[in-house]
Amino acid sequence: MTRTADNIRGGQLRDRTVVVTGAARGLGRACAERFAREGADLVLVDVAADVPGVPYPLGSAGQLEHTAKLCRAQGAAVLTAAADVRDPEAVREVARQTLDRFGTIDVLLNGAGIAAPSGKAVHEISEDEWDLMVGIDLTGAWRMTKAVIPAMIEQRSGSVINVASTAGLVGYRHFAGYVAAKHGLIGLTKAAALDYGPFRVRVNALCPGSVRDDPLHEGRMLAEIARSLDVDVDEHEEIFVQSQPMNTLIEPQDIAGAALWLAGDDSCQVTGTTLTVDGGFSAR
């Protein structure tokens, strides 16, 4: 797409194309909206359907379109793609469509992820449950990175942001699959940063703590984590706040602000790092 004076907007990400996975709701939506407000054009990716084995509804096609509507209201050009990050051809097609439409891929936010099936000790996890968790939360990010990196190498610039978790820094009882995938994602981040640093392509991890399920973003990750821990969903926010040194949950816009910094020029010398936004939880 050729940009004209009519569609050039201001902001930290002006003239840049950002691919966001897990964009239908939650942190994916919050980050996409923030990127759009800062001038980016967007490719919004989500499975947009339920996945067998995941014990809660995932983002829908309608939610993905709602995210697109919110971003277009900020003046962004938006392409949506219903794609499962476990499907190599679907992922490659996202990269092809992005380049066909916008001609560049400047930022990739790997936000697609699941929190369950969880709630079991290590020996109780089935092969299918383990493969499902790792396949989405870790291998999906690798697969998306693999698809977009060649374009970033060619243009000698780019930023990959892997949404990990405090579960990538510490352990959580009965969440071995999730913890292993998120630790692996941080390891992938560090290795990829070394691989692509010579090409001016940066790779960083973003580790949110307990993020409030903001109804505006239709998030439900914290509620599902609570459910896996047999925590009363009606009281889960108050219970999670008790472990927060700053006595409050993280807001989606807090994560979006950190993602914006990693995407923009102010972090041009930052790569291979882990940016933790958890209100001090992991400092203990």
Side-chain angles (χ1 to χ4, degrees):
M1 185 188 76
T2 301
R3 290 178 171 88
T4 68
D6 290 336
N7 60 29
I8 292 178
R9 293 167 289 132
Q12 298 181 54
L13 300 181
R14 188 181 73 178
D15 294 346
R16 298 185 194 182
T17 302
V18 180
V19 179
V20 178
T21 71
R25 67 184 187 193
L27 291 183
R29 177 183 289 177
C31 291
E33 282 189 90
R34 185 65 182 272
F35 293 156
R37 194 156 64 245
E38 292 294 333
D41 292 325
L42 288 149
V43 179
L44 304 176
V45 184
D46 202 282
V47 66
D50 291 340
V51 170
V54 179
Y56 61 91
L58 298 181
S60 67
Q63 288 173 318
L64 182 60
E65 287 304 319
H66 184 60
T67 302
K69 180 180 178 181
L70 293 171
C71 293
R72 290 185 180 114
Q74 300 291 338
V78 179
L79 176 68
T80 60
D84 190 331
V85 295
R86 297 173 300 167
D87 182 343
E89 180 52 37
V91 167
R92 287 192 291 267
E93 183 61 21
V94 167
R96 284 194 291 265
Q97 289 183 11
T98 302
L99 292 171
D100 286 347
R101 174 73 181 275
F102 297 109
T104 183
I105 303 174
D106 300 294
V107 179
L108 167 65
L109 180 85
N110 278 315
I114 57 173
S118 293
K120 297 180 179 179
V122 170
H123 73 283
E124 298 171 327
I125 301 170
S126 72
E127 293 278 346
D128 287 345
E129 289 170 334
W130 181 272
D131 289 345
L132 180 62
M133 181 67 69
V134 174
I136 294 175
D137 285 18
L138 175 56
T139 308
W142 163 77
R143 191 170 285 123
M144 283 297 307
T145 302
K146 179 181 172 70
V148 307
I149 278 289
M152 292 182 174
I153 289 174
E154 184 176 354
Q155 68 199 24
R156 292 298 192 271
S157 67
S159 175
V160 176
I161 304 164
N162 293 321
V163 181
S165 165
T166 52
L169 304 171
V170 301
Y172 288 97
R173 182 172 178 265
H174 288 174
F175 272 79
Y178 187 71
V179 167
K182 295 301 187 179
H183 271 72
L185 189 55
I186 291 176
L188 173 64
T189 297
K190 293 180 179 296
L194 296 177
D195 285 347
Y196 304 118
F199 304 100
R200 305 296 298 172
V201 176
R202 301 181 296 110
V203 187
N204 293 288
L206 178 56
C207 289
S210 297
V211 180
R212 187 173 68 88
D213 291 334
D214 183 354
L216 290 176
H217 298 100
E218 300 184 87
R220 59 183 301 162
M221 181 72 78
L222 195 62
E224 293 306 327
I225 291 173
R227 198 183 308 277
S228 294
L229 294 171
D230 292 326
V231 172
D232 188 336
V233 175
D234 292 333
E235 300 177 359
H236 76 284
E237 289 192 359
E238 291 80 3
I239 292 172
F240 280 112
V241 163
Q242 293 173 15
S243 65
Q244 297 297 116
M246 295 184 72
N247 297 316
T248 184
L249 296 177
I250 312 303
E251 295 294 334
Q253 56 264 32
D254 298 328
I255 307 304
L260 174 64
W261 184 72
L262 289 173
D265 292 339
D266 286 346
S267 61
C268 65
Q269 291 294 332
V270 178
T271 194
T273 196
T274 301
L275 178 57
T276 305
V277 185
D278 69 350
F281 174 83
S282 60
R284 295 174 301 177

